[in-house]
Amino acid sequence: MPASQPTTSAGEPALKRAIGPKLLILFVIGDILGTGIYATTGKVAGKIGGALWLPFLIGFVVALLTAASYVELVGKYPKAAGAALYTQKAFKVPFLTFVVAFMVMCSGLSSASAAARAFSGDYLGEFTDAVPPTLVAILFILVLAAINLRGVSESVKANVVLTLVELSGLVVILSIGAYAVFAGEGEPSRLTDLETGGTGYALITGVLGATALGFFAFVGFEDSVNMAEETHDPARTFPRAIFIGVAVTGTVYVLVALVSSLLVDSRTLEGSSGPLLEVVKAGGVDFPPKLFALIALFAVTNSALINIMMASRLCYGMANERILPRAMGSVLAGRRTPWAGILFVTVLAVGLVSTGEIEGLGDTTSFLLLCVFAVVNISVLVLRRDRVDHRHFRTPTALPVLGAITSLILASPLADRAGDVYIRAGILLLIGIGLWVVNRAVMRAREKA
């Protein structure tokens, strides 16, 4: 290892600071965009009907509340471990820290698995159905792991290209919608239809259920804080990047939802794993469906790539905090990428690919992260007593309070999610507890030795 190469306190090479303000903004936008809007829009429509825009609007507000908390914390503690680091500093309960970290990791892996499933679904079906979907999904994960292993610069640059491609796909949808409006196409009356199966309590739980699933489309901004050690001047760079990223994607999502409902009925959207492809076909514009399918494939690829990046950096950060064994923080000397973390999360992602369909995996991701978001919002308030010697963003106190309340409501049974989501999350949590016990035993054995 060259003498001039920076190292961590554990003697491992420090991560390379290769991300500037523009790259980080595109990273955040690319992380949020992707599988959620391209693959789960139809399932959200199935829960709420033609008022498809409403869950995305509510989800945008909830995301913005929690994003403000993340901005304060990443500026205050610019380290790679994200929510796990904030939880440990706030509560100093190692078990809680591990559970939060494990839930974040599992949310990233379930999201990557949903992206892999979306990649092998109706969008790929526009080109071929000769290869078994599960095999496609596994190969998909392995290729992205190789890109991640090569280096953060390569991964982030690939993210920039894929972000621009997926944005172009959504611009196509919005352009089709604008054409339809001026041509008098579509069915505006659908935009106010709430098909939640009842009124009163049933209406509330129906809207909450659709919002909880639709929230999957907004997850991703929290991943960016795990790149803090690879970002130039994170205390100044992150506030602008996260707020711009959430604002841009939230606006695009609401508009895309309006266009989708305007042009395609909710049942047709619900029945497709490529709902935006249905919008293209119904839009009255001569845009090649295969070209849009290709754009969608790039979009879900971007989601999976960033989630694998996030999970591997989380492993690295937890190892440095001694929440995971020190070996999990091993860095490839030449490339300065966390190879041990990348290998670990890739194995888990391959295992998760076959555990559910897109809707179940997406809702599992939302549930896990909503629980984490509640903890993060509370952590902001607890850590106000901890002063640091540098300037950073400070969010108004009301925002983390509202963020915690809304996150808990959407994570609760009021959101009317399927029981298998809680079962899958519970199994993952039990696996995490098992790993915690093993890790503690290893640490105690080392102390005695």
Side-chain angles (χ1 to χ4, degrees):
M1 182 173 60
S4 61
Q5 182 170 295
T7 62
T8 66
S9 59
E12 290 288 341
L15 298 181
K16 184 178 181 180
R17 291 195 182 274
I19 305 174
K22 294 179 181 178
L23 274 180
L24 187 61
I25 290 172
L26 285 172
F27 183 93
V28 174
I29 292 174
D31 201 354
I32 300 174
L33 293 178
T35 304
I37 194 67
Y38 275 92
T40 62
T41 301
K43 305 306 178 184
V44 176
K47 285 178 172 286
I48 199 166
L52 180 57
W53 55 273
L54 182 59
F56 289 104
L57 180 59
I58 298 173
F60 169 55
V61 173
V62 175
L64 196 59
L65 293 172
T66 301
S69 294
Y70 271 96
V71 167
E72 175 171 337
L73 291 170
V74 73
K76 199 171 184 178
Y77 312 107
K79 299 293 182 181
L85 174 65
Y86 312 146
T87 303
Q88 179 62 23
K89 285 187 173 293
F91 303 105
K92 295 181 173 55
V93 179
F95 179 72
L96 176 61
T97 300
F98 182 83
V99 168
V100 167
F102 191 78
M103 292 177 78
V104 172
M105 180 185 296
C106 288
S107 73
L109 297 177
S110 62
S111 179
S113 297
R117 278 298 186 185
F119 186 92
S120 61
D122 287 350
Y123 291 123
L124 184 62
E126 284 290 309
F127 301 96
T128 180
D129 56 3
V131 184
T134 300
L135 178 59
V136 170
I138 291 173
L139 293 175
F140 173 80
I141 293 290
L142 294 177
V143 169
L144 295 185
I147 295 173
N148 192 6
L149 186 62
R150 181 169 175 79
V152 68
S153 294
E154 288 78 2
S155 298
V156 174
K157 288 173 183 175
N159 166 255
V160 170
V161 174
L162 293 174
T163 296
L164 295 176
V165 171
E166 65 188 354
L167 272 173
S168 71
L170 298 179
V171 169
V172 168
I173 295 295
L174 297 181
S175 299
I176 288 174
Y179 171 84
V181 169
F182 285 114
E185 302 290 336
E187 186 55 61
S189 63
R190 276 200 295 260
L191 301 179
T192 57
D193 286 344
L194 286 171
E195 302 172 11
T196 57
T199 58
Y201 179 79
L203 176 62
I204 293 173
T205 57
V207 171
L208 290 176
T211 301
L213 178 57
F215 194 75
F216 174 52
F218 286 95
V219 302
F221 63 86
E222 77 287 347
D223 291 350
S224 64
V225 302
N226 293 298
M227 311 302 290
E229 293 183 47
E230 294 164 277
T231 301
H232 297 294
D233 196 2
R236 293 184 59 186
T237 304
F238 270 93
R240 182 183 179 192
I242 291 181
F243 286 132
I244 289 177
V246 174
V248 168
T249 53
T251 301
V252 170
Y253 282 174
V254 172
L255 293 175
V256 168
L258 286 167
V259 170
S260 299
S261 186
L262 180 70
L263 296 179
V264 184
D265 69 88
S266 60
R267 296 305 147 211
T268 301
L269 290 172
E270 182 184 13
S272 174
S273 63
L276 298 190
L277 190 59
E278 301 296 332
V279 177
V280 171
K281 293 177 178 178
V285 176
D286 189 19
F287 191 90
K290 287 185 181 297
L291 177 57
F292 186 83
L294 182 62
I295 292 172
L297 291 175
F298 278 117
V300 297
T301 297
N302 202 29
S303 295
L305 173 62
I306 295 179
N307 275 287
I308 290 177
M309 287 176 65
M310 176 276 294
S312 63
R313 269 59 182 184
L314 182 55
C315 281
Y316 168 84
M318 286 193 293
N320 284 341
E321 293 292 322
R322 301 297 183 267
I323 300 170
L324 285 177
R326 184 176 299 180
M328 294 299 297
S330 297
V331 175
L332 195 63
R335 290 288 174 181
R336 289 165 64 186
T337 52
W339 69 266
I342 293 170
L343 178 63
F344 180 66
V345 301
T346 299
V347 170
L348 291 181
V350 169
L352 280 171
V353 157
S354 59
T355 62
E357 299 300 322
I358 295 172
E359 180 178 357
L361 291 168
D363 212 351
T364 300
T365 302
S366 294
F367 171 72
L368 290 169
L369 281 181
L370 285 165
C371 293
V372 171
F373 288 172
V375 175
V376 169
N377 280 302
I378 295 172
S379 297
V380 171
L381 302 175
V382 173
L383 288 170
R384 288 283 169 84
R385 65 193 179 197
D386 183 28
R387 305 289 182 176
V388 295
D389 59 3
H390 62 272
R391 297 182 64 182
H392 61 86
F393 174 85
R394 180 184 171 100
T395 183
T397 301
L399 299 189
V401 172
L402 291 173
I405 293 172
T406 53
S407 295
L408 288 171
I409 290 174
L410 290 177
S412 75
L414 286 174
D416 192 32
R417 58 175 49 87
D420 68 302
V421 172
Y422 294 108
I423 293 173
R424 185 181 295 108
I427 292 173
L428 289 172
L429 184 57
L430 288 175
I431 293 173
I433 293 173
L435 289 175
W436 164 259
V437 171
V438 170
N439 185 54
R440 292 293 293 176
V442 170
M443 292 177 64
R444 287 174 181 171
R446 287 178 176 174
E447 290 173 359
K448 290 180 180 179

